[in-house]
């Protein structure tokens, strides 16, 4: 059995740093990351005063209102109907902020606070059947395991961490290990929970094996490692996306896998190459869906969070220039504390290059991306049409995100809360996304905050590029119980003109409604045939085209937008409705420009689609056409709803024809370019 001093030395070897290293990391953080340094110092000072506000970038459930404990801390305190405060409170990420404040100041008050709160938590939170639902949920136990080890690395040499305090810490770590090792259930295999649980167990077991405090530690290492390998295999799709379809939880899982790789490196352990390749594919998924402002899309249960720290970590770990192009130019604040000052030298020496293609299709998860460049002022269109993704998924099949010149134009309104009720159900709904509904009905319905009824799959999917034209297509069976199949096609002319084409395949009378959610800074002006969105840097003209039969009804209404958990603002939704019978479609043309470009005269109107062979127009049940005037040019776009054949096999508009179902022609081009056969 090692002495307490020897145990401390073993922990410091893995999670601590020398005096010189601490000084260099502190100087680096203060010089290059003053805002982040100030943020962590503020949190540390608040924690010393028993004030808790959870606003770190990757806090899964951020809070907007601080909670202060005047006397003794109540670790199971719930300030309102949402228990997420309890869970966030008991993950103890803020103790790492205390440690960094201690490293940068040497002020023993931070160490005394840590030791006092640690001992108090252990005393007040025994593992019971009751606390398993509050302070001892398995997910918190796993997160806490890695956070306690990292925090203790900062404080292990402090006089405040007496031998008695350290032994209590190790004893509680062993209790965590016993608890997490016994957690074997299918839910953990398929959920982010399992990864967060076993990342903690893997780190705890390795330390306890080194300190000699636990004979079972070796078995726990193998157990946790095997579970992580299996969870990596089960949860990560071939395109690198975590199956729950929420970037927030994709990245929580990614962070854990990166931490597990680092833990393994600490102890000369190793994960299989296949595991590492899957982790790398997850970072690449982040790079592909990273928006021009560097954030993740707010799909599913996600906040708007900057991705550069994770891409920096991924680029450093895998020594990949493409990943570095989405990260920071230098090692970020958390990276310098996690990987050490030498990491900056290695990272700075790494080359940076952008991905080869501007068009990307993550086909397994159902995500399409069209962009003008990989720069911050880029245009960016994202279409989402994949599986639900379990409880964190939203009803977003066919959803579009649109960015022009680096500015958000159309957005996903977010999540706000996990408390079942009006806001939760509204923000998960189909109506809450830039997609379509049929007969004003939802295609999936909430049973509670997590459960749903109506598990209808996405089907099909295509993407193509021909010169200036980009094309993406998706569909789903959400309304098949109403006898309707819904298909969405998007034709892009460059990245400033988009034709959104929705088709209802069915029998009888139905109403097709397109929903659009402008970003908060967009000024909305509704007009007779569409609406205009004007932001600080961009303008987007929306032309709602009914075809040569039928008409469009436009409606504007208030709709909430939540960029971060527990924060909600008043936004707007614009809806375009069309009634039809059997097979019919509707188009919305979006013409975008920068405000300083003074784009005027943009216009779009329906034109009849002709059969060259029959010499007569097709019905709107067969095809729709539109003429677009913008940027000094004219385009014709044809969207056929039926298979090419007979009178619909060589079709077009205004004398331009082709053998395709989706086609376009510019100005006086003789033939149409086929985007879909």
């Amino acid at each position: 059995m090692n002495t307490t001093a020897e145990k401390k030395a073993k922990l410091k070897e893995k999670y601590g740093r020398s005096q010189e290293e601490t000084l260099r990391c502190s100087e680096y953080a203060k010089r290059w990351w003053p805002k982040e340094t100030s943020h962590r110092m503020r949190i540390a000072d608040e924690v010393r005063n028993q004030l808790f506000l959870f606003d770190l970038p990757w806090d899964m459930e951020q809070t907007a209102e601080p909670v202060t404990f005047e006397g003794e801390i109540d670790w199971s305190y719930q300030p309102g109907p949402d228990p997420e405060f309890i869970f966030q409170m008991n993950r103890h990420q803020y103790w790492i902020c205390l440690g960094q404040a201690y490293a940068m100041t040497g002020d023993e008050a931070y160490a005394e606070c840590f030791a006092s709160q640690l001992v108090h938590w252990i005393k007040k939170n025994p593992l019971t059947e009751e606390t398993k639902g509050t302070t001892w949920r398995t997910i918190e136990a796993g997160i806490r395991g890695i956070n306690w080890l990292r925090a203790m690395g900062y404080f292990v040499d402090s006089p405040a961490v007496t031998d008695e305090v350290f032994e209590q810490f190790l004893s509680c770590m062993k209790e965590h290990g016993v608890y997490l090792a016994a957690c074997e259930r299918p839910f953990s295999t398929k959920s982010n929970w399992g990864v967060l649980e076993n990342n903690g167990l893997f780190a705890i077991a390795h330390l306890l094996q080194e300190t000699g405090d636990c004979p079972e530690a070796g078995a726990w290492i193998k157990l946790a490692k095997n579970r992580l390998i299996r969870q990596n295999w089960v949860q990560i799709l071939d395109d690198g996306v975590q199956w729950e379809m929420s970037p927030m939880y994709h990245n929580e899982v990614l962070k854990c896998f990166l931490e597990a790789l680092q833990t393994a490196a600490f102890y000369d352990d190793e994960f299989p190459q296949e595991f590492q390749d899957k982790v790398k594919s997850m970072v690449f998924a982040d790079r592909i869906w990273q928006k021009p402002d560097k954030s993740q899309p707010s799909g599913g249960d996600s906040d708007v969070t900057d991705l550069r720290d994770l891409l920096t970590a991924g680029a450093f770990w895998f020594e990949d220039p493409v990943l570095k192009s989405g990260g920071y130019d230098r090692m970020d604040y958390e990276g310098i504390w996690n990987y050490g000052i030498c990491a900056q030298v290695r990272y700075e020496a790494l080359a940076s290059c952008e991905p080869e293609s501007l068009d990307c299709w993550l086909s397994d998860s159902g995500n399409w991306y069209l962009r003008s460049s990989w720069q911050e002022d880029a245009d960016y269109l994202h279409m989402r049409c994949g599986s639900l993704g379990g409880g964190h998924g939203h009803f977003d099949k066919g959803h579009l995100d649109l960015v022009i010149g680096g500015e958000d134009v159309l957005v996903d309104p977010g999540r706000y809360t996990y408390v079942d009720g009006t806001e939760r159900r509204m923000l998960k709904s189909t109506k809450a996304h830039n997609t379509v509904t049929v007969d004003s009905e939802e295609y999936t319905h909430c049973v509670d905050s997590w459960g749903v009824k109506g598990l209808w799959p996405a089907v099909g999917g295509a993407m193509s590029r021909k010169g200036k034209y980009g094309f993406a297509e998706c569909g789903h069976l959400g309304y098949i119980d109403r006898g309707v199949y819904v298909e969405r096609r998007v034709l892009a002319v460059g990245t400033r003109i988009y034709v959104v084409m929705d088709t209802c395949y069915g029998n009888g009378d139905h109403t097709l409604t397109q929903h659009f959610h402008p970003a908060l800074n967009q000024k909305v002006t509704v007009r007779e045939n569409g609406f205009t969105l004007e932001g600080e840097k961009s303008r987007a003209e929306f032309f709602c085209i009914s075809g040569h039969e039928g008409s469009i009804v436009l409606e504007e209404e208030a709709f909430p937008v939540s960029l971060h958990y527990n924060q909600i603002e008043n936004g707007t939704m614009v809806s375009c409705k069309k009634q039809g019978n059997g097979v019919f479609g509707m188009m919305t043309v979006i013409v975008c420009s920068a405000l300083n470009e003074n784009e005027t005269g943009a216009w779009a109107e329906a034109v009849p689609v002709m059969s060259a062979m029959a010499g007569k127009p097709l019905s709107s049940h067969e095809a729709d056409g539109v003429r677009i005037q913008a940027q000094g040019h004219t385009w014709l776009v044809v969207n056929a709803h039926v298979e090419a054949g007979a009178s619909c096999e060589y079709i077009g508009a205004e004398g331009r024809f082709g053998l395709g179902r989706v086609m376009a022609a510019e100005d006086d081009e003789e033939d149409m370019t086929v985007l879909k056969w």
Side-chain angles (χ1 to χ4, degrees):
M1 178 71 70
N2 295 311
T3 66
T4 302
E6 289 171 331
K7 295 174 187 177
K8 285 183 174 181
K10 289 183 181 296
L11 184 141
K12 182 178 179 180
E13 181 185 349
K14 301 302 187 293
Y15 293 99
R17 51 191 54 80
S18 67
Q19 241 182 350
E20 180 185 358
E21 175 81 0
T22 298
L23 179 61
R24 293 181 68 188
C25 288
S26 299
E27 290 174 344
Y28 180 92
K30 293 173 185 176
R31 177 181 178 186
W32 296 108
W33 303 101
K35 182 179 177 182
E36 289 73 15
T37 299
S38 177
H39 186 183
R40 274 58 172 194
M41 290 296 298
R42 190 213 83 209
I43 291 172
D45 289 334
E46 289 173 349
V47 171
R48 280 177 56 188
N49 292 311
Q50 299 189 164
L51 183 154
F52 297 91
L53 177 68
F54 308 122
D55 64 351
L56 285 168
W58 291 107
D59 282 342
M60 281 186 280
E61 290 81 37
Q62 292 187 351
T63 57
E65 297 294 331
V67 171
T68 302
F69 296 95
E70 297 296 341
E72 190 176 22
I73 295 175
D74 179 357
W75 298 99
S76 60
Y77 175 70
Q78 182 174 316
D82 191 354
E84 295 296 336
F85 182 90
I86 301 174
F87 309 145
Q88 193 68 48
M89 177 85 172
N90 287 276
R91 292 167 185 165
H92 299 155
Q93 178 73 27
Y94 46 83
W95 285 352
I96 294 177
C97 296
L98 275 176
Q100 291 164 352
Y102 179 62
M104 288 186 281
T105 65
D107 188 344
E108 286 294 332
Y110 294 111
E112 291 162 3
C113 174
F114 167 73
S116 173
Q117 289 187 5
L118 172 67
V119 170
H120 185 264
W121 189 93
I122 293 171
K123 179 181 178 182
K124 293 294 183 177
N125 290 279
L127 177 57
T128 66
E129 289 304 313
E130 181 182 358
T131 59
K132 285 179 181 179
T134 54
T135 60
W136 271 94
R137 289 197 316 172
T138 54
I139 184 175
E140 275 68 62
I143 296 170
R144 201 160 52 229
I146 193 74
N147 286 344
W148 279 25
L149 292 171
R150 290 182 175 234
M152 184 58 81
Y154 292 101
F155 296 113
V156 66
D157 285 339
S158 168
V161 180
T162 63
D163 287 357
E164 182 182 0
V165 168
F166 192 76
E167 290 295 342
Q168 287 188 60
F169 162 79
L170 286 179
S171 177
C172 197
M173 283 284 88
K174 182 177 180 180
E175 187 176 19
H176 278 71
V178 171
Y179 179 49
L180 291 168
C183 182
E184 184 68 62
R185 51 188 175 166
F187 175 75
S188 292
T189 301
K190 64 94 178 176
S191 170
N192 67 84
W193 278 50
V195 178
L196 274 66
E197 291 162 357
N198 288 288
N199 177 46
L201 177 60
F202 187 62
I204 291 168
H206 265 297
L207 178 73
L208 293 179
Q209 185 182 55
E210 279 235 320
T211 59
D213 279 80
C214 179
E216 305 95 335
W220 291 352
I221 291 170
K222 293 179 182 178
L223 179 66
K225 185 176 178 180
N226 288 336
R227 286 176 179 174
L228 288 168
I229 291 169
R230 185 180 180 200
Q231 289 154 3
N232 174 282
W233 173 258
V234 169
Q235 295 183 29
I236 311 307
L237 307 181
D238 288 346
D239 62 11
V241 176
Q242 199 263 355
W243 85 277
E244 291 176 272
M245 300 301 166
S246 294
M248 188 82 178
Y249 289 89
H250 169 99
N251 284 311
E252 287 299 328
V253 169
L254 171 59
K255 284 167 57 187
C256 286
F257 284 151
L258 290 172
E259 287 171 351
L261 290 174
Q262 186 180 25
T263 299
F266 283 165
Y267 296 96
D268 294 323
D269 199 348
E270 189 175 17
F271 280 88
Q273 188 60 49
E274 188 175 21
F275 177 95
Q276 298 182 53
D277 290 343
K278 281 267 193 178
V279 178
K280 185 175 181 180
S281 75
M282 294 181 72
V283 195
F284 266 96
D286 269 336
R287 183 64 184 110
I288 289 170
W289 69 36
Q290 186 179 34
K291 293 171 60 178
D293 68 358
K294 309 305 181 185
S295 69
Q296 64 184 4
S298 55
D301 283 342
S302 300
D303 290 347
V304 176
T305 308
D306 196 317
L307 287 172
R308 283 176 290 182
D309 56 347
L310 283 179
L311 284 162
T312 298
F316 169 74
W317 193 262
F318 296 109
E319 299 182 337
D320 191 281
V322 173
L323 297 179
K324 185 178 180 180
S325 71
Y328 290 108
D329 293 335
R330 62 176 55 253
M331 185 60 66
D332 63 296
Y333 175 89
E334 292 294 351
I336 208 69
W337 289 113
N338 288 341
Y339 301 121
I341 198 67
C342 292
Q344 163 56 17
V345 178
R346 287 174 51 196
Y347 185 75
E348 194 168 7
L350 182 64
S352 175
C353 66
E354 296 172 348
E356 292 182 1
S357 177
L358 296 174
D359 297 346
C360 299
W361 179 19
L362 299 176
S363 58
D364 300 288
S365 58
N367 288 281
W368 292 255
Y369 303 88
L370 301 169
R371 64 177 84 218
S372 61
S373 75
W374 292 94
Q375 302 304 306
E376 292 184 13
D377 61 353
D379 306 328
Y380 166 104
L381 181 81
H382 166 223
M383 181 168 74
R384 154 98 179 111
C385 193
S387 63
L388 172 66
H392 286 298
H394 288 196
F395 315 151
D396 57 3
K397 288 178 172 59
H399 168 78
L400 301 175
D401 293 302
L402 178 62
V403 177
I404 297 297
E407 181 177 50
D408 282 330
V409 176
L410 295 176
V411 298
D412 185 317
R415 57 173 177 159
Y416 178 57
T417 184
Y418 290 159
V419 177
D420 190 25
T422 301
E423 291 92 351
R424 175 62 170 164
R425 297 190 180 208
M426 181 184 296
L427 288 167
K428 290 190 76 169
S429 71
T430 311
K431 185 180 177 182
H433 298 86
N434 301 311
T435 186
V436 296
T437 56
V438 174
D439 300 332
S440 300
E441 294 287 339
E442 293 290 314
Y443 70 81
T444 298
H445 296 270
C446 292
V447 174
D448 52 33
S449 186
W450 308 108
V452 302
K453 59 180 179 180
L455 293 172
W456 301 106
V459 295
M463 189 173 196
S464 64
R465 161 68 60 185
K466 291 192 176 179
K468 58 182 163 292
Y469 300 117
F471 175 75
E473 176 185 70
C474 66
H476 69 87
L477 301 180
Y479 294 102
I480 203 69
D481 59 340
R482 305 182 72 86
V484 172
Y485 167 65
V486 175
E487 185 176 65
R488 166 159 281 187
R489 297 168 175 171
V490 178
L491 172 66
V493 182
T495 55
R496 293 287 170 97
I497 299 174
Y498 301 95
V499 187
V500 181
M501 301 167 281
D502 295 314
T503 304
C504 172
Y505 291 92
N507 293 309
D509 296 328
H510 295 285
T511 300
L512 196 61
T513 305
Q514 295 177 330
H515 303 277
F516 297 99
H517 294 267
L520 285 170
N521 69 330
Q522 295 286 327
K523 177 185 176 183
V524 182
T525 304
V526 177
R527 56 179 192 278
E528 184 178 354
N529 67 335
F531 58 99
T532 302
L533 301 182
E534 187 170 304
E536 298 172 5
K537 299 185 293 184
S538 65
R539 178 188 292 109
E541 299 279 357
F542 289 70
F543 300 91
C544 301
I545 310 297
S546 67
H548 55 285
E549 298 176 15
S551 60
I552 298 288
V553 176
L554 281 93
E555 296 178 352
E556 180 183 3
E557 62 183 281
F559 205 93
V561 175
S562 173
L563 303 181
H564 298 279
Y565 196 87
N566 275 321
Q567 298 179 42
I568 198 163
E569 299 178 71
N570 295 322
T572 300
M573 178 179 70
V574 180
S575 300
C576 307
K577 295 185 178 182
K578 178 183 177 179
Q579 291 184 329
N581 179 271
V583 178
F584 68 97
M586 62 189 298
M587 296 184 181
T588 292
V589 176
I590 310 172
V591 179
C592 308
S593 61
L595 285 182
N596 60 10
E597 289 176 350
N598 294 318
E599 169 73 27
T600 58
W603 190 256
E605 60 183 351
V607 295
V609 178
M610 302 293 295
S611 167
M613 303 302 290
K616 65 179 183 180
L618 301 176
S619 73
S620 62
H621 298 293
E622 297 172 291
D624 288 320
V626 63
R627 181 196 300 116
I628 305 164
Q629 178 181 311
Q631 302 173 357
H633 296 270
T634 300
W635 287 270
L636 291 170
V637 175
V638 168
N639 181 38
H641 310 309
V642 297
E643 180 63 275
S647 62
C648 202
E649 68 184 11
Y650 188 47
I651 62 175
E654 300 186 351
R656 268 69 65 81
F657 298 96
L659 283 165
R661 295 177 63 195
V662 178
M663 301 181 292
E666 181 180 356
D667 295 330
D668 296 324
E669 291 176 343
E670 184 176 358
D671 299 306
M672 300 199 104
T673 298
V674 177
L675 279 302
K676 178 177 177 61
W677 296 100

